Amino acid sequence: MGKILRIDLTTQKVSESPLPEEYVKKYVGGRGIAARILYDIMKPGTDPFSPENKMVWGTGPLTGLPVQAASSGWVVVTRSPLTYTYFRNRCVSNFGIMLKKAGYDFMIIEGKAEKPTYIYINDGNVEFGDASSLWGTTTDLAQHILKEHIIRNPKAETAVIGPAGERLVRYAIVQSGTRQLGRGGIGAVMGSKNLKGVIVYGEKSIPIANEELLKELVKEQVKQLATSHGAKRMQRYGTAAIHALINQIGDYPHKNFRETFFPDHEKLDGEQRVKRTIRNAGCPNCLIMCWKYTYVKEGPYAGAWVDGPEYETFWSFGGLLGISNLDAVIYANQLADLYGIDTISAGNCIAFAMELFEKGIITKKDTDGLELTWGNENALITLVKKIAFREGIGDILAEGVKRAAEKIGKGAEYYAMHIKGLEMPGYDPRPVKAHGLAMVTSNIGGSHALGYGTQEVFGLPTPVDKYTIEGKGKLTVYNQNRLTWGECCIWCTFPTRSEWHKPDLLTKIVNAATGIDFGGWEEALKIGERVWNVERAFNVREGFDRRHDTLPERFLKEPIPSGPAKGQIFELEPLLNEYYQARGWDVATGLPTRAKLEELGLKDIADELEKMGRLAK
Amino acid sequence: MGKILRIDLTTQKVSESPLPEEYVKKYVGGRGIAARILYDIMKPGTDPFSPENKMVWGTGPLTGLPVQAASSGWVVVTRSPLTYTYFRNRCVSNFGIMLKKAGYDFMIIEGKAEKPTYIYINDGNVEFGDASSLWGTTTDLAQHILKEHIIRNPKAETAVIGPAGERLVRYAIVQSGTRQLGRGGIGAVMGSKNLKGVIVYGEKSIPIANEELLKELVKEQVKQLATSHGAKRMQRYGTAAIHALINQIGDYPHKNFRETFFPDHEKLDGEQRVKRTIRNAGCPNCLIMCWKYTYVKEGPYAGAWVDGPEYETFWSFGGLLGISNLDAVIYANQLADLYGIDTISAGNCIAFAMELFEKGIITKKDTDGLELTWGNENALITLVKKIAFREGIGDILAEGVKRAAEKIGKGAEYYAMHIKGLEMPGYDPRPVKAHGLAMVTSNIGGSHALGYGTQEVFGLPTPVDKYTIEGKGKLTVYNQNRLTWGECCIWCTFPTRSEWHKPDLLTKIVNAATGIDFGGWEEALKIGERVWNVERAFNVREGFDRRHDTLPERFLKEPIPSGPAKGQIFELEPLLNEYYQARGWDVATGLPTRAKLEELGLKDIADELEKMGRLAK
């Protein structure tokens, strides 16, 4: 069993405890255990920006092992300042591996440091360092100084915030190497704790229970990847592989979700990316190598580069805004990473401002003179900076579309594309019912990542009609449970959701690696369901229920005006009804039932919710 | 004795040879041995951009040792595409230490790779890698990909070129970590060889002959530094320490060397730098920590950072152009490092263009619409990029002021501030006769670094009247020999030239470290003189002599118009006469004499020059 490290920034108290065996059996690791720890240690009603908010950083049972599609995952869960829900974030830098090598599977960070601070975890030893001089720095500089000059160990791994996190931009990221904890404002939570960064180094070995068997199973993994069309496309294009497809099915949000097809989409497609890719990289051992370093060789953005952009940024800094110049997207992505803001939320905020500008709700007086017209690359680049540094209109947009709309008033709310405060990703819910329903009911707000409707979008593992409503509640529950289990083991999301690997292979690998018999696919889905219910209970405890499982009016009232999915609308109520039923929750309120919670071994949670009057009657 | 690694990029032939004992005894190491190797292996008349040009990379006897002010020096010598002279460049990144740990004291690179290539030196093993995908990348990205993704060893050290080196910008740099081989276009020589970078890793230990004695001597070094006013100032301000002083004595080139005092100089002084410094760093062990990481926290350049700027860039991107906004200087410096151009030469090229613009010799038609007015920050930033990428007017300026002036014609030559093609540094020769004379007679063209007149500028080690002509030839010979020996050992230039350390302490340290008795200060100066003569012979062999030891007309004809040094002019002829006499060379031609060369043990060189008709008659 592993260890939990607990760090209080207020008192600088550091403690260690063994990972409870019960946690491992019920939640496996990663997001599962982290969610349960968070549920247990957080007092309901805690302000995300208060010292009492807690972050749980976690690794998975496969982190650091010689497997495909799982070797470098790690997660952070906390209460999000954007959604006020439970929030989970997944990253794939080497930070998680190094945390494990330093001796820890999980790490709790709580309290608030008196002054800017970094935490240095060195092979079982924890130090607090003064980060005052690093306060304000971009993420590249902060990481460079920490590694090369403060601890002088370039092999250490770092996770830091940029100027945006310090300024509590509600969608500030954590940058780790060239990768991100992107969504939900985890970086702002760090900023609120005066925590500039964490640097970790260790040399402990990571045990494997059944090494020979694992080797055999990984060989099978390699075989299965070799025959996957999706894996091959991802090898070539990274996540941009899907850009053309999402347009073809009319699911691509354009002009702030007003339309769902971007006429210029070919200028942003995968081949455009290949032209600019100078290096494929990825997690240790992985054959896919989906990290694509892109570089702009000529023109006004020459010299810009980024490990990315991912599909979401192709879209949020591209087609969503009517921008079709990939070079501009790359440059804006680079700045977002350096300053430390989430590209999905930032793109949404800019699209929101552009639509308000078009409608005359805001004018050049409000935008510091910027012409916020669709397709204006300069506006994108300027606003990325203004948001991160909270300058002028950027100060309002740094609050996220929900709060910005409240501040602006004049009907701005209609144009704020978010679910529970989290800006929406690059999929319109209207033409993809399960995929949309997964976003509506996601435990972290408007994210596609928790229950991706691969059957609708890719026809994987088996095609399902996108527009059909019936059965989509049940399908969504499957998709959510599947990916939740995936993030307990911290499998890469792509092979898991599209089932490039057969599910039973994945369960065998986890059993071989840990030496614990977690069972097969059915048991895996049950674990996913358990964790989903813990997360839901967290939110329910904070007051969330059916009323919040909704979408911006646009999706409920405006049929898609044109393109391949013309006429589609999102049928929220019937979809929700079936979903709650499939979840075994109360359909009227969306609250969990005692029966379901007890079935999942969560009697203590049922008891607590009941006491609070938040259990289904 | 160490080893020489020889790498031919054309044939990919790699060989090793022991470092000849005679080289060590006569030239110590570093610049001395590198210069002699270059002299021996280069055919006169070799085009700097041809495969036949050779680069000699070298470490010193103290590189990697636990000493003050010498632990990380390394040099590269080659024939410069800017000056067509011998050229030496010194850097202080950890690359040199790592080269030594990989088993090599010197490395010769010659030939031309068929396609973009990197060289990987791994503990005695040499590999050639395809750098096609890295071609075009900025220096940060190239170093990151090489370390993290190609060889996957973040402890390796790198030296790379940026887009400018690939485009043969004649003053392209080599970037190593956050430091540079700045002057003379070494990066362009790499570019001409299709060599994107060198990456090196090794774990060999670096021997110390007399460790106990060395420890004692280094203690004395520390004591001497502790009592040095200059050392303390450099600790606080880095090289920007001298910005105010150079203005006070009216030696600060302003508006392309037309004036020598910058009225706004306080906006660029050391305290301004301290405000933006987030980290002091330096060579391993060094107490001074003169590397100052500066960061712009707010305003239009927020997010910009650089390891620097050094004094020269404060000046070349600042006061030389009438720019007093340090934030703009920092941003332009960052871009120059990323794209890979020398800030001194680039600043000069921009100042040259600004003066031509003022005089109407070029207009907006020639400048791609840019208003090249003094103080125009935007012009600076735009031109840095245009030069590096050879866009528009940048393509002409990328040739350096000498060649740009020839192309432009119309009297532009008068405004081209260079010596032998090398753009001039941040000192006006007119008010500092020895310091100026050192630049005129420098073996690499317009550089202050080879014979700095510290007696005139700082009064160190003992003050000398700046304006006096008599004795300055002799003083310059001393200063040049002193620093040349310094670069054979690769002492840091600052303590050596200002004698913060007593010279005899430095010689004792070299003797203790190597176990070779090189003698004391007198013998050190003799070694410096020997190396200087080898370098001069290289240039003489290429056709250089007294005719080339000159300055732009401005310094000879225009008395300084105002400020503390008003009225001063540079008295070239009497200064040169005394200098040649002190060198023991022929005064009429500036050619070395047989007597001097034989006195220095360079009979073979005397014989060769005589055969070519280039020995003093």
Side-chain angles (χ1 to χ4, degrees), chain A residues 95 98-99 102 119-121 155-158 198-202:
Chain A
F95 183 93
M98 204 49 103
L99 186 64
I119 294 172
Y120 173 31
I121 301 166
K155 290 172 87 172
E157 297 292 340
T158 44
V198 182
I199 180 157
V200 57
Y201 183 73

Side-chain angles (χ1 to χ4, degrees), chain A residues 3-309:
Chain A
K3 280 195 290 191
I4 306 174
L5 174 66
R6 187 161 184 167
I7 296 171
D8 188 326
L9 285 163
T10 307
T11 61
Q12 299 207 343
K13 206 186 129 194
V14 176
S15 61
E16 279 183 12
S17 58
L19 194 55
E21 206 184 322
E22 191 212 341
Y23 275 13
V24 177
K25 287 200 171 146
K26 287 172 80 169
Y27 308 103
V28 184
R31 172 172 152 198
I33 291 182
R36 180 69 219 209
I37 293 176
L38 191 76
Y39 183 93
D40 288 348
I41 63 176
M42 279 279 282
K43 226 174 109 180
T46 302
D47 182 332
F49 283 154
S50 72
E52 288 72 33
N53 194 11
K54 295 166 202 309
M55 313 174 80
V56 185
W57 303 48
T59 65
L62 305 173
T63 310
L65 300 194
V67 293
Q68 291 296 310
S71 61
S72 74
W74 55 287
V75 297
V76 174
V77 307
T78 190
R79 188 173 193 195
S80 159
L82 206 50
T83 62
Y84 279 56
T85 62
Y86 159 87
F87 210 91
R88 87 84 183 83
N89 226 312
R90 200 177 55 89
C91 188
V92 288
S93 78
N94 290 342
F95 183 93
I97 301 174
M98 204 49 103
L99 186 64
K100 238 172 159 175
K101 285 185 172 176
Y104 304 105
D105 290 63
F106 290 85
M107 167 168 73
I108 300 167
I109 297 178
E110 59 196 326
K112 179 181 178 175
E114 235 174 56
K115 59 180 177 192
T117 295
Y118 66 85
I119 294 172
Y120 173 31
I121 301 166
N122 182 12
D123 225 355
N125 185 41
V126 178
E127 289 169 29
F128 299 88
D130 184 354
S132 299
S133 68
L134 290 180
W135 208 245
T137 53
T138 45
T139 57
D140 60 336
L141 179 56
Q143 295 191 97
H144 174 79
I145 298 284
L146 275 171
K147 280 190 194 190
E148 302 287 335
H149 295 297
I150 293 184
I151 76 153
R152 296 189 190 182
N153 180 358
K155 290 172 87 172
E157 297 292 340
T158 44
V160 304
I161 59 171
E166 301 168 8
R167 285 165 176 79
L168 309 184
V169 173
R170 284 186 190 266
Y171 42 91
I173 62 166
V174 176
Q175 182 85 4
S176 180
T178 56
R179 310 299 297 179
Q180 298 80 35
L181 290 163
R183 307 226 64 200
I186 310 274
V189 174
M190 274 180 70
S192 75
K193 297 189 173 310
N194 267 332
L195 180 60
K196 179 69 182 179
V198 182
I199 180 157
V200 57
Y201 183 73
E203 296 187 348
K204 298 193 197 322
S205 65
I206 302 175
I208 303 174
N210 194 334
E211 205 163 345
E212 278 314 302
L213 177 58
L214 187 66
K215 255 188 209 163
E216 283 310 305
L217 295 168
V218 171
K219 271 187 207 159
E220 179 58 28
Q221 255 196 310
V222 171
K223 255 192 233 164
Q224 292 185 6
L225 282 181
T227 59
S228 158
H229 176 67
K232 273 179 215 148
R233 284 185 57 82
M234 187 155 288
Q235 261 178 338
R236 181 165 172 85
Y237 302 114
T239 53
I242 64 172
H243 199 273
L245 171 74
I246 305 300
N247 270 287
Q248 276 157 25
I249 63 172
D251 197 35
Y252 187 95
H254 174 48
K255 293 191 176 172
N256 199 34
F257 289 81
R258 201 161 65 194
E259 298 170 30
T260 70
F261 181 82
F262 179 37
D264 269 350
H265 73 86
E266 281 174 13
K267 293 186 183 156
L268 285 175
D269 76 1
E271 286 301 334
Q272 290 299 324
R273 177 203 206 119
V274 170
K275 279 185 200 160
R276 289 161 180 85
T277 297
I278 60 134
R279 183 78 190 175
N280 301 326
C283 300
N285 312 307
C286 184
L287 295 174
I288 306 278
M289 310 262 276
C290 73
W291 309 4
K292 305 297 180 191
Y293 281 90
T294 53
Y295 179 73
V296 183
K297 288 208 178 181
E298 52 196 12
Y301 303 105
W305 68 269
V306 74
D307 173 1

Side-chain angles (χ1 to χ4, degrees), chain B residues 285-564:
Chain B
N285 314 304
C286 184
L287 294 174
I288 305 280
M289 311 261 276
C290 74
W291 308 5
K292 306 298 179 190
Y293 280 90
T294 53
Y295 179 72
V296 182
K297 290 210 176 181
E298 52 196 14
Y301 303 103
W305 68 271
V306 74
D307 173 2
E310 301 298 339
Y311 163 72
E312 293 294 333
T313 311
F314 266 72
W315 160 77
S316 66
F317 282 177
L320 176 68
L321 309 174
I323 289 172
S324 58
N325 180 356
L326 182 52
D327 294 345
V329 173
I330 289 170
Y331 183 51
N333 194 165
Q334 180 180 28
L335 295 180
D337 290 357
L338 292 173
Y339 301 152
I341 55 171
D342 173 29
T343 55
I344 299 180
S345 285
N348 265 279
C349 288
I350 295 166
F352 162 74
M354 284 180 172
E355 194 164 11
L356 295 188
F357 191 83
E358 191 187 50
K359 297 278 184 280
I361 296 172
I362 60 173
T363 68
K364 278 170 85 169
K365 268 193 268 177
D366 307 295
T367 65
D368 315 319
L370 280 175
E371 286 275 358
L372 295 189
T373 45
W374 301 114
N376 183 345
E377 296 165 15
N378 181 50
L380 162 65
I381 287 158
T382 308
L383 284 177
V384 163
K385 189 163 182 188
K386 281 179 176 285
I387 289 168
F389 287 86
R390 282 189 175 271
E391 291 167 5
I393 190 177
D395 192 32
I396 297 168
L397 298 178
E399 292 291 294
V401 290
K402 180 168 178 271
R403 287 169 186 81
E406 287 163 7
K407 281 195 184 172
I408 293 166
K410 306 182 210 166
E413 212 163 316
Y414 187 83
Y415 306 101
M417 298 295 115
H418 70 91
I419 298 174
K420 300 185 182 72
L422 187 69
E423 288 74 18
M424 295 183 68
Y427 305 91
D428 192 292
R430 286 169 287 190
V432 281
K433 310 305 176 183
H435 197 49
L437 182 59
M439 294 192 237
V440 172
T441 58
S442 139
N443 285 322
I444 66 172
S447 168
H448 59 298
L450 265 55
Y452 201 110
T454 50
Q455 303 84 351
E456 290 174 344
V457 179
F458 309 126
L460 288 174
T462 43
V464 162
D465 183 73
K466 287 185 280 300
Y467 299 160
T468 305
I469 299 170
E470 291 73 35
K472 292 300 173 65
K474 216 173 144 187
L475 183 62
T476 295
V477 169
Y478 172 80
N479 287 340
Q480 290 175 338
N481 291 348
R482 172 176 70 170
L483 277 181
T484 304
W485 172 79
E487 291 192 338
C488 294
C489 314
I490 323 192
W491 286 109
C492 173
T493 190
F494 308 120
T496 315
R497 72 193 190 192
S498 291
E499 299 187 18
W500 301 343
H501 290 127
K502 297 212 171 63
D504 68 331
L505 176 62
L506 299 186
T507 58
K508 280 181 196 160
I509 287 175
V510 176
N511 293 348
T514 58
I516 300 171
D517 183 5
F518 289 104
W521 190 232
E522 207 174 313
E523 289 78 10
L525 293 175
K526 190 54 81 181
I527 291 166
E529 187 182 10
R530 180 179 302 126
V531 173
W532 192 269
N533 274 268
V534 171
E535 295 172 340
R536 177 76 175 186
F538 184 102
N539 289 343
V540 161
R541 201 167 66 168
E542 300 293 355
F544 289 88
D545 52 38
R546 179 165 183 151
R547 293 165 301 170
H548 307 89
D549 292 339
T550 187
L551 279 167
E553 266 185 282
R554 169 164 276 168
F555 303 110
L556 309 176
K557 287 190 177 163
E558 282 182 35
I560 291 173
S562 59

